[in-house]
Amino acid sequence: MKRCLVVCLTAVLAFAAPALQAQVNTRAYAPENLRTLSVNDQQRVIAQEYAEQSNGRRIPDDQMRFYLDQVNRSNWGFSRIKQDIATSLRGTGGWNGGGGNPWPGTNPGHTSVVRCESNDNRQRSCPTGWSSARLSRQLSNTRCVEGRNWGSRNGSVWVSGGCRAEFVQGRGGWGGGGGGSNYNVTCSSTGNRTQTCAWDGRQGRPVVIEQLSGSACVEGRSWGYRGGSVWVSNGCRARFGVR
């Protein structure tokens, strides 16, 4: 009887092992439209995707909040989030503490936007090939202040203290006409209300030159440009200028 039990149990385990292994190796299903999932499930699949791309690292809380915001306000699909996670990890030199390379296949001197992120408050340096850089889009809830937790030097941009942002080449670096304009507009969202500020469209498209608020100024979420005006909301207060 005992011999029969051992033989039967061995047969059952041998039959189940491939199925169990396949289940372990199968990535969790996530629909392209994450809005069909509950918020908890959205967090679960995004966290799992980040962990899989970073060899087990936990996604930063502010990055998770940013993705949830994009899913539920801007209709980002799962493929867009996967691509952004990959770009994020490459832009910081990766989760293994590398040197901070721009996106593969690009020449640092010809990359229009470079993302650099200070994860776990550690300092990162990301090569750009530019003589100077300007903050284009803040991604972190931590306020990015030039000279305090970000700056540019020797053809690179550096970040620290939790600053995560996208940077563009500084004025005068393109070799084209029209650079070096001092035109700027300060726009403030008081009481988290939406505020619009007039913008001279002849100056070109506005970018954040300096964030003045503790609340993150993120394009498309808390500030934007339309119809000759800059708009801000959710407590964003910033100085806007031109590239």
Side-chain angles (χ1 to χ4, degrees):
M1 182 67 177
K2 291 182 179 179
R3 183 178 179 182
C4 178
L5 288 173
V6 171
V7 171
C8 292
L9 181 59
T10 301
V12 169
L13 290 175
F15 176 79
L20 290 173
Q21 186 63 37
Q23 184 175 3
V24 169
N25 292 334
T26 301
R27 297 175 65 174
Y29 168 73
E32 176 63 18
N33 181 6
L34 293 180
R35 298 182 72 178
T36 61
L37 302 178
S38 66
V39 173
N40 285 339
D41 282 340
Q42 291 174 8
Q43 291 177 311
R44 177 181 57 80
V45 297
I46 293 171
Q48 181 171 341
E49 181 63 32
Y50 188 92
E52 287 172 346
Q53 290 198 38
S54 65
N55 275 14
R57 280 195 63 181
R58 181 179 179 275
I59 186 171
D61 290 340
D62 58 350
Q63 191 167 355
M64 173 64 81
R65 287 193 291 270
F66 174 74
Y67 287 146
L68 292 176
D69 222 32
Q70 297 307 311
V71 167
N72 296 296
R73 294 190 183 188
S74 302
N75 294 320
W76 275 29
F78 189 54
S79 59
R80 176 78 180 274
I81 288 177
K82 288 195 293 184
Q83 181 182 15
D84 196 82
I85 288 173
T87 301
S88 167
L89 293 172
R90 288 195 295 266
T92 59
W95 46 268
N96 60 355
N101 297 316
W103 304 316
T106 62
N107 182 328
H110 296 86
T111 303
S112 59
V113 178
V114 169
R115 178 182 296 203
C116 205
E117 304 184 48
S118 165
N119 290 320
D120 302 323
N121 289 324
R122 291 176 296 182
Q123 182 164 316
R124 288 285 185 268
S125 179
C126 305
T128 63
W130 308 328
S131 59
S132 64
R134 291 189 298 105
L135 190 150
S136 173
R137 184 165 72 113
Q138 181 173 300
L139 304 172
S140 59
N141 286 337
T142 300
R143 181 180 172 189
C144 295
V145 180
E146 186 173 9
R148 187 172 74 184
N149 57 5
W150 82 269
S152 58
R153 61 179 175 232
N154 301 326
S156 297
V157 65
W158 61 268
V159 292
S160 64
C163 169
R164 300 172 48 249
E166 291 178 347
F167 300 89
V168 297
Q169 194 165 16
R171 292 191 183 95
W174 292 105
S181 171
N182 291 320
Y183 179 78
N184 67 83
V185 169
T186 298
C187 203
S188 305
S189 166
T190 304
N192 289 330
R193 295 189 297 268
T194 299
Q195 176 68 41
T196 59
C197 302
W199 177 268
D200 183 356
R202 295 172 297 180
Q203 301 293 331
R205 198 177 188 284
V207 296
V208 174
I209 294 177
E210 181 183 7
Q211 181 174 302
L212 304 173
S213 59
S215 302
C217 294
V218 179
E219 187 173 7
R221 184 173 69 178
S222 56
W223 81 271
Y225 173 64
R226 61 169 177 256
S229 297
V230 174
W231 62 267
V232 291
S233 64
N234 298 320
C236 168
R237 179 172 180 266
R239 188 161 57 92
F240 300 89
V242 295
R243 292 183 178 179

PDB file of all heavy atoms in Angstrom, residues 3-15:
ATOM      1  N   ARG A   3       3.944   1.455  -0.968  1.00  0.00           N
ATOM      2  CA  ARG A   3       4.645   1.539  -2.241  1.00  0.00           C
ATOM      3  C   ARG A   3       3.753   2.141  -3.321  1.00  0.00           C
ATOM      4  O   ARG A   3       4.183   2.952  -4.149  1.00  0.00           O
ATOM      5  CB  ARG A   3       5.118   0.147  -2.657  1.00  0.00           C
ATOM      6  CG  ARG A   3       5.924   0.160  -3.950  1.00  0.00           C
ATOM      7  CD  ARG A   3       6.409  -1.225  -4.275  1.00  0.00           C
ATOM      8  NE  ARG A   3       7.160  -1.198  -5.531  1.00  0.00           N
ATOM      9  CZ  ARG A   3       7.679  -2.287  -6.087  1.00  0.00           C
ATOM     10  NH1 ARG A   3       7.539  -3.477  -5.488  1.00  0.00           N
ATOM     11  NH2 ARG A   3       8.338  -2.199  -7.226  1.00  0.00           N
ATOM     12  N   CYS A   4       2.479   1.798  -3.274  1.00  0.00           N
ATOM     13  CA  CYS A   4       1.510   2.337  -4.249  1.00  0.00           C
ATOM     14  C   CYS A   4       1.354   3.842  -4.094  1.00  0.00           C
ATOM     15  O   CYS A   4       1.301   4.587  -5.066  1.00  0.00           O
ATOM     16  CB  CYS A   4       0.159   1.630  -4.076  1.00  0.00           C
ATOM     17  SG  CYS A   4      -1.124   2.274  -5.194  1.00  0.00           S
ATOM     18  N   LEU A   5       1.289   4.302  -2.820  1.00  0.00           N
ATOM     19  CA  LEU A   5       1.144   5.728  -2.568  1.00  0.00           C
ATOM     20  C   LEU A   5       2.346   6.503  -3.081  1.00  0.00           C
ATOM     21  O   LEU A   5       2.213   7.582  -3.674  1.00  0.00           O
ATOM     22  CB  LEU A   5       0.964   5.986  -1.062  1.00  0.00           C
ATOM     23  CG  LEU A   5      -0.382   5.575  -0.465  1.00  0.00           C
ATOM     24  CD1 LEU A   5      -0.373   5.733   1.044  1.00  0.00           C
ATOM     25  CD2 LEU A   5      -1.504   6.423  -1.074  1.00  0.00           C
ATOM     26  N   VAL A   6       3.546   5.959  -2.860  1.00  0.00           N
ATOM     27  CA  VAL A   6       4.754   6.630  -3.322  1.00  0.00           C
ATOM     28  C   VAL A   6       4.781   6.716  -4.839  1.00  0.00           C
ATOM     29  O   VAL A   6       5.085   7.747  -5.431  1.00  0.00           O
ATOM     30  CB  VAL A   6       6.005   5.893  -2.798  1.00  0.00           C
ATOM     31  CG1 VAL A   6       7.261   6.469  -3.453  1.00  0.00           C
ATOM     32  CG2 VAL A   6       6.094   6.019  -1.292  1.00  0.00           C
ATOM     33  N   VAL A   7       4.439   5.600  -5.505  1.00  0.00           N
ATOM     34  CA  VAL A   7       4.438   5.564  -6.961  1.00  0.00           C
ATOM     35  C   VAL A   7       3.408   6.535  -7.526  1.00  0.00           C
ATOM     36  O   VAL A   7       3.667   7.278  -8.477  1.00  0.00           O
ATOM     37  CB  VAL A   7       4.177   4.130  -7.468  1.00  0.00           C
ATOM     38  CG1 VAL A   7       3.967   4.130  -8.975  1.00  0.00           C
ATOM     39  CG2 VAL A   7       5.339   3.218  -7.093  1.00  0.00           C
ATOM     40  N   CYS A   8       2.208   6.523  -6.919  1.00  0.00           N
ATOM     41  CA  CYS A   8       1.132   7.402  -7.408  1.00  0.00           C
ATOM     42  C   CYS A   8       1.491   8.871  -7.221  1.00  0.00           C
ATOM     43  O   CYS A   8       1.257   9.701  -8.103  1.00  0.00           O
ATOM     44  CB  CYS A   8      -0.171   7.088  -6.685  1.00  0.00           C
ATOM     45  SG  CYS A   8      -0.846   5.462  -7.103  1.00  0.00           S
ATOM     46  N   LEU A   9       2.047   9.208  -6.034  1.00  0.00           N
ATOM     47  CA  LEU A   9       2.416  10.588  -5.759  1.00  0.00           C
ATOM     48  C   LEU A   9       3.501  11.074  -6.719  1.00  0.00           C
ATOM     49  O   LEU A   9       3.461  12.191  -7.226  1.00  0.00           O
ATOM     50  CB  LEU A   9       2.904  10.715  -4.311  1.00  0.00           C
ATOM     51  CG  LEU A   9       3.302  12.127  -3.854  1.00  0.00           C
ATOM     52  CD1 LEU A   9       2.124  13.085  -4.005  1.00  0.00           C
ATOM     53  CD2 LEU A   9       3.778  12.105  -2.407  1.00  0.00           C
ATOM     54  N   THR A  10       4.468  10.181  -7.003  1.00  0.00           N
ATOM     55  CA  THR A  10       5.540  10.525  -7.937  1.00  0.00           C
ATOM     56  C   THR A  10       4.986  10.800  -9.324  1.00  0.00           C
ATOM     57  O   THR A  10       5.395  11.740 -10.009  1.00  0.00           O
ATOM     58  CB  THR A  10       6.562   9.383  -8.001  1.00  0.00           C
ATOM     59  OG1 THR A  10       7.092   9.157  -6.693  1.00  0.00           O
ATOM     60  CG2 THR A  10       7.695   9.731  -8.957  1.00  0.00           C
ATOM     61  N   ALA A  11       4.027   9.985  -9.741  1.00  0.00           N
ATOM     62  CA  ALA A  11       3.423  10.160 -11.063  1.00  0.00           C
ATOM     63  C   ALA A  11       2.658  11.474 -11.155  1.00  0.00           C
ATOM     64  O   ALA A  11       2.721  12.189 -12.159  1.00  0.00           O
ATOM     65  CB  ALA A  11       2.490   8.983 -11.364  1.00  0.00           C
ATOM     66  N   VAL A  12       1.926  11.816 -10.065  1.00  0.00           N
ATOM     67  CA  VAL A  12       1.155  13.052 -10.056  1.00  0.00           C
ATOM     68  C   VAL A  12       2.082  14.266 -10.149  1.00  0.00           C
ATOM     69  O   VAL A  12       1.852  15.214 -10.906  1.00  0.00           O
ATOM     70  CB  VAL A  12       0.280  13.142  -8.787  1.00  0.00           C
ATOM     71  CG1 VAL A  12      -0.314  14.555  -8.647  1.00  0.00           C
ATOM     72  CG2 VAL A  12      -0.845  12.116  -8.850  1.00  0.00           C
ATOM     73  N   LEU A  13       3.178  14.238  -9.357  1.00  0.00           N
ATOM     74  CA  LEU A  13       4.110  15.354  -9.368  1.00  0.00           C
ATOM     75  C   LEU A  13       4.803  15.496 -10.725  1.00  0.00           C
ATOM     76  O   LEU A  13       5.028  16.598 -11.216  1.00  0.00           O
ATOM     77  CB  LEU A  13       5.160  15.169  -8.272  1.00  0.00           C
ATOM     78  CG  LEU A  13       4.644  15.324  -6.836  1.00  0.00           C
ATOM     79  CD1 LEU A  13       5.751  14.986  -5.839  1.00  0.00           C
ATOM     80  CD2 LEU A  13       4.119  16.736  -6.593  1.00  0.00           C
ATOM     81  N   ALA A  14       5.151  14.366 -11.325  1.00  0.00           N
ATOM     82  CA  ALA A  14       5.801  14.396 -12.639  1.00  0.00           C
ATOM     83  C   ALA A  14       4.877  14.990 -13.689  1.00  0.00           C
ATOM     84  O   ALA A  14       5.299  15.710 -14.590  1.00  0.00           O
ATOM     85  CB  ALA A  14       6.228  12.988 -13.044  1.00  0.00           C
ATOM     86  N   PHE A  15       3.579  14.679 -13.565  1.00  0.00           N
ATOM     87  CA  PHE A  15       2.598  15.211 -14.517  1.00  0.00           C
ATOM     88  C   PHE A  15       2.367  16.709 -14.296  1.00  0.00           C
ATOM     89  O   PHE A  15       2.217  17.487 -15.239  1.00  0.00           O
ATOM     90  CB  PHE A  15       1.279  14.446 -14.368  1.00  0.00           C
ATOM     91  CG  PHE A  15       0.177  14.981 -15.252  1.00  0.00           C
ATOM     92  CD1 PHE A  15       0.130  14.657 -16.610  1.00  0.00           C
ATOM     93  CD2 PHE A  15      -0.806  15.831 -14.738  1.00  0.00           C
ATOM     94  CE1 PHE A  15      -0.872  15.164 -17.420  1.00  0.00           C
ATOM     95  CE2 PHE A  15      -1.808  16.328 -15.542  1.00  0.00           C
ATOM     96  CZ  PHE A  15      -1.842  15.989 -16.884  1.00  0.00           C
TER      97      PHE A  15
END
